[in-house]
Amino acid sequence: MKPIQITFDEELLAELDERPEVRERGRSAVLREAAAAYLVKKRSEDIARQYEQAYTRAPQSEAEVAEWESVQAWGEE
């Protein structure tokens, strides 16, 4: 691991330090977990944005949709 230096607002740091998990595991562990969760969220948002852009750039034509509708199987009811 690489040590880094970050700056926190005093009120935010005080609130963070009040949490039992922070006292038990330490600031670094909790902040690493928060950073990892942030990156997972951002990756998911990036993927969703890429899908949206792909479908916006090349929307399916009516003929393509009709072709898929003709081969779909819903089963018997």
Side-chain angles (χ1 to χ4, degrees):
M1 283 192 232
K2 180 177 181 160
I4 62 167
Q5 182 176 355
I6 59 174
T7 305
F8 267 82
D9 177 278
E10 290 181 23
E11 291 177 14
L12 179 60
L13 186 58
E15 187 175 346
L16 182 68
D17 287 343
E18 289 176 5
R19 305 299 304 174
E21 184 176 345
V22 173
R23 287 195 300 266
E24 292 168 13
R25 297 178 55 214
R27 283 182 194 158
S28 293
V30 171
L31 293 174
R32 280 192 301 271
E33 185 178 309
Y38 169 83
L39 291 173
V40 166
K41 178 181 181 235
K42 290 301 177 182
R43 285 184 202 118
S44 178
E45 289 173 359
D46 289 346
I47 290 169
R49 187 172 29 262
Q50 289 170 0
Y51 272 113
E52 182 179 342
Q53 289 172 352
Y55 280 106
T56 302
R57 280 193 308 264
Q60 293 179 326
S61 67
E62 288 185 32
E64 188 177 12
V65 172
E67 181 181 337
W68 281 108
E69 287 177 340
S70 69
V71 296
Q72 68 186 354
W74 293 98
E76 296 180 32
E77 293 184 15

